[in-house]
Amino acid sequence: MPKCWLSLSLFLFAANTYASSQSFENTAIVRTVELGGAVVHVTTTYAIKALEDGQKSYTIALGRGEKEITSFLEAKVKGQQQALQVKERVLDVNEDYHLFDIVLPKSLTTNKTLNLVLETVQTHVTRPWPATAGQNEEQALNYSTNLFVLSPYATSIQRTKIKALTPRVNSFTIPDRVKAFSDSTPASKSGATVVYGPFEGIPPSTQSSFIAEYQQPVTVHYNHEQPVLEVLRLERSAEISHWGANLNIQDNIVLHNAGPKLKGHFSRLDHQTQAFYKRPAPHVLPALTLHLPSGIRNAYYYDIIGNVSTSKLRTAPSVPKEKQGTQFSVFEFRPRYPILGGWNYTFTLGWDSPLEDSTSYDKSTGRYIVEIPIMTPILGAVVNDEELTVILPEGATDVQYATPFPAGSTSVGTHTTYLDTTGRPALTFQYKNLTVKHAQTIFVSYKVSPLAHLKKPIAVGTAFLGLFTLGMIARRVNLTLHQKKKV
Ligand SMILES: *[C@@H]1O[C@H](CO)[C@@H](O)[C@H](O)[C@H]1NC(C)=O
Ligand SMILES: *[C@@H]1O[C@H](CO)[C@@H](O)[C@H](O)[C@H]1NC(C)=O
Ligand SMILES: *[C@@H]1O[C@H](CO)[C@@H](O)[C@H](O)[C@H]1NC(C)=O
Ligand SMILES: *[C@@H]1O[C@H](CO)[C@@H](O)[C@H](O)[C@H]1NC(C)=O
Ligand SMILES: *[C@@H]1O[C@H](CO)[C@@H](O)[C@H](O)[C@H]1NC(C)=O
């Protein structure tokens, strides 16, 4: 029994030193939530002050459940471009929060201050309310979050601003049990923004006692005038061909409108009337505009029925590799039917682009390096699930790759197509919950021996010869038949 007590108090002691470390104080925390549909951007600014010398890392906390909805997290010193290293602590299953250590650019001495900016992206956090809507009705969403930003350090003043795109905020939760930190009204709305706080004199809050007593969910109910879009599944294949000096990208996309489900039947007449008055219902998606790379050619787009001819593509001319990303081809995709709440639309979109626009060759190592875009962002949409396959040229060896952020899983295999002799190396990356922040590039590097270069022409040559021989035989047979007939 005494042993048991000993270990228990030791455990508590350890937890305390972790959680209520007095090495910093927060002079202010301001969290700004930019409401959206499927994707919500959150920026939290921590004005911090060191209370001890030699502070090299600062700890932040996400609430329980917040980690699962956070698909992107990046910390910077305010005003600087360089992202700071973030080390995730092992989750203690007994705790209601998740800790991350941010490595500071240089250690802080006592009384030194710094402004840290934490940027996160949350996905799948809004719920349509009401859950169904008629074709001519509005779309409103609920967003819920925890009232307090948790911190292992004491905080002098804290505020949360939740911003909608329009001032049409229907309701918001008024928090209770906050008298200890606020003597005025704890929640207010001004224009499109709901403000929680200011709350003053908050003790270190990564403590179960604080969480049990004060932490609480708050909900904002707001009108949202754009469809809530999810890509349920994206399969991108990127095929590198040295023989054709081509990079082919093909996306198979299952798009889903996650807004309120359509109540009643779809009326094309109502839809056309709305389109005529340029007032489409906010939860109906008539068209999508995508930015594709410049210099693309042979673009194609089709769905289960066939080519989608109502779509338009304006291609920008090819630009050199170092200028990529400054110009776009604009693709206006108009699905065969408007996509209503709860509906799916499956389509394929593909294009070719000059390989040199995304490839460099390192003479000293004999390596090719190709930049493969992970995804083409769809404004405001989340990609729930992606499989990206990079098909390398036949005979590529010493394959290496670098990803901007870790993939859920990665595998190496071979891909065999018509005219290939040995099959091609292929890399497959699996991703979940991608947003515009993840629209970055994977670098794939490999060598191709001059002999391997010849393989494809040889394969093509042989095939041609084969056809030619067959043709000859056919002609001969024909001739003989003719002759026989003549006879
Ligand atoms: C992706 O988002 C869903 C829904 O929010 C969540 O349940 C899941 O844990 C997330 N997956 C990953 C790998 O982040
Ligand atoms: C830090 O600031 C406090 C209050 O301004 C002051 O009393 C203290 O001496 C300072 N410490 C150092 C090391 O500068
Ligand atoms: C959305 O918010 C409203 C108002 O706060 C609430 O009555 C409703 O239950 C919420 N719905 C969901 C699905 O969370
Ligand atoms: C679809 O478009 C492609 C080129 O964009 C064309 O080659 C093909 O014949 C079209 N198919 C149909 C069924 O119209
Ligand atoms: C949309 O696709 C998902 C996943 O394939 C499926 O579960 C869902 O039933 C589909 N919805 C409709 C309305 O077809």
Side-chain angles (χ1 to χ4, degrees):
M1 197 63 192
K3 254 187 191 163
C4 198
W5 275 111
L6 186 67
S7 59
L8 188 63
S9 57
L10 261 181
F11 169 74
L12 282 179
F13 177 72
N16 269 335
T17 46
Y18 249 137
S20 63
S21 157
Q22 291 309 301
S23 40
F24 286 101
E25 75 177 18
N26 301 309
T27 44
I29 297 180
V30 178
R31 173 174 50 153
T32 308
V33 178
E34 283 163 61
L35 295 174
V39 174
V40 169
H41 293 261
V42 183
T43 309
T44 312
T45 305
Y46 297 84
I48 68 172
K49 180 165 142 188
L51 300 180
E52 286 169 359
D53 283 343
Q55 296 309 312
K56 292 203 182 75
S57 87
Y58 174 87
T59 304
I60 58 155
L62 293 185
R64 179 176 282 283
E66 217 181 326
K67 169 79 194 317
E68 288 69 52
I69 57 168
T70 300
S71 77
F72 174 86
L73 184 150
E74 189 176 76
K76 288 179 179 170
V77 172
K78 190 171 186 180
Q80 294 188 2
Q81 282 304 306
Q82 184 68 39
L84 302 175
Q85 194 193 349
V86 178
K87 296 179 184 162
E88 185 176 343
R89 293 232 197 124
V90 178
L91 176 68
D92 180 343
V93 290
N94 298 311
E95 298 298 355
D96 283 328
Y97 52 83
H98 205 125
L99 297 177
F100 298 81
D101 294 318
I102 298 176
V103 181
L104 301 178
K106 56 174 193 271
S107 69
L108 295 183
T109 52
T110 309
N111 287 352
K112 274 276 183 308
T113 62
L114 192 68
N115 285 334
L116 290 178
V117 180
L118 175 73
E119 218 187 321
T120 62
V121 176
Q122 302 177 340
T123 62
H124 307 99
V125 278
T126 66
R127 301 274 166 274
W129 187 257
T132 60
Q135 202 177 330
N136 299 320
E137 287 173 352
E138 304 277 4
Q139 165 178 265
L141 307 175
N142 274 0
Y143 170 78
S144 298
T145 186
N146 282 321
L147 178 62
F148 290 105
V149 175
L150 300 179
S151 174
Y153 317 110
T155 303
S156 306
I157 187 164
Q158 176 178 131
R159 244 191 209 98
T160 293
K161 300 179 193 167
I162 304 183
K163 293 184 175 173
L165 282 173
T166 74
R168 299 175 63 205
V169 173
N170 306 323
S171 70
F172 53 93
T173 312
I174 307 286
D176 52 8
R177 313 191 306 274
V178 291
K179 284 267 181 306
F181 314 116
S182 161
D183 41 23
S184 58
T185 155
S188 58
K189 173 182 173 281
S190 139
T193 306
V194 175
V195 181
Y196 286 100
F199 300 115
E200 290 171 28
I202 302 167
S205 52
T206 47
Q207 313 246 353
S208 21
S209 56
F210 179 92
I211 292 170
E213 211 168 331
Y214 303 113
Q215 188 62 299
Q216 52 194 294
V218 292
T219 300
V220 174
H221 184 235
Y222 61 105
N223 267 52
H224 191 64
E225 295 182 352
Q226 280 153 20
V228 181
L229 295 182
E230 290 181 12
V231 173
L232 299 180
R233 172 106 175 136
L234 165 62
E235 285 163 13
R236 165 165 285 195
S237 78
E239 188 168 346
I240 302 166
S241 162
H242 280 223
W243 174 240
N246 190 49
L247 173 66
N248 171 268
I249 304 267
Q250 177 167 309
D251 287 347
N252 296 326
I253 299 173
V254 184
L255 188 65
H256 174 69
N257 184 336
K261 293 204 166 53
L262 177 66
K263 196 161 63 185
H265 289 286
F266 169 62
S267 152
R268 195 166 272 279
L269 183 64
D270 279 1
H271 177 69
Q272 276 161 357
T273 314
Q274 285 176 344
F276 181 77
Y277 291 108
K278 300 230 169 1
R279 291 221 36 150
H283 51 89
V284 177
L285 179 77
L288 272 180
T289 302
L290 299 181
H291 283 175
L292 304 182
S294 53
I296 62 172
R297 50 193 183 210
N298 308 330
Y300 49 94
Y301 23 94
Y302 55 87
D303 61 12
I304 300 164
I305 300 174
N307 286 346
V308 186
S309 55
T310 42
S311 300
K312 279 200 281 278
L313 175 70
R314 252 181 304 126
T315 44
S318 178
V319 295
K321 191 171 154 293
E322 59 277 9
K323 293 225 176 80
Q324 284 286 316
T326 55
Q327 284 183 42
F328 301 101
S329 302
V330 178
F331 178 53
E332 199 196 320
F333 183 69
R334 195 165 277 279
R336 208 168 286 279
Y337 50 84
I339 305 164
L340 283 96
W343 291 13
N344 294 340
Y345 187 67
T346 302
F347 64 100
T348 296
L349 166 64
W351 62 85
D352 290 332
S353 54
L355 189 59
E356 68 263 26
D357 285 1
S358 47
T359 306
S360 45
Y361 179 69
D362 183 345
K363 270 209 187 84
S364 63
T365 58
R367 284 184 162 277
Y368 291 91
I369 302 154
V370 186
E371 293 177 33
I372 307 289
I374 293 175
M375 63 185 271
T376 299
I378 296 178
L379 194 69
V382 55
V383 176
N384 294 0
D385 187 22
E386 173 173 359
E387 180 176 286
L388 167 63
T389 306
V390 182
I391 303 159
L392 299 169
E394 197 180 357
T397 56
D398 298 327
V399 179
Q400 293 173 354
Y401 60 87
T403 56
F405 49 91
S409 77
T410 309
S411 61
V412 182
T414 45
H415 178 86
T416 315
T417 54
Y418 177 60
L419 296 184
D420 279 344
T421 50
T422 52
R424 308 165 170 212
L427 295 171
T428 304
F429 303 89
Q430 307 279 352
Y431 287 109
K432 292 251 190 280
N433 301 338
L434 301 183
T435 67
V436 64
K437 290 282 182 189
H438 300 100
Q440 301 179 32
T441 43
I442 289 181
F443 291 83
V444 177
S445 141
Y446 53 87
K447 291 181 178 172
V448 180
S449 71
L451 200 65
H453 259 319
L454 285 178
K455 257 188 193 164
K456 191 80 179 205
I458 289 169
V460 171
T462 331
F464 260 101
L465 192 65
L467 280 179
F468 187 68
T469 324
L470 260 181
M472 293 275 286
I473 293 169
R475 268 190 63 174
R476 279 212 187 123
V477 173
N478 258 345
L479 277 178
T480 22
L481 282 177
H482 265 288
Q483 280 168 356
K484 270 189 182 162
K485 258 190 193 163
K486 262 187 192 167
V487 169

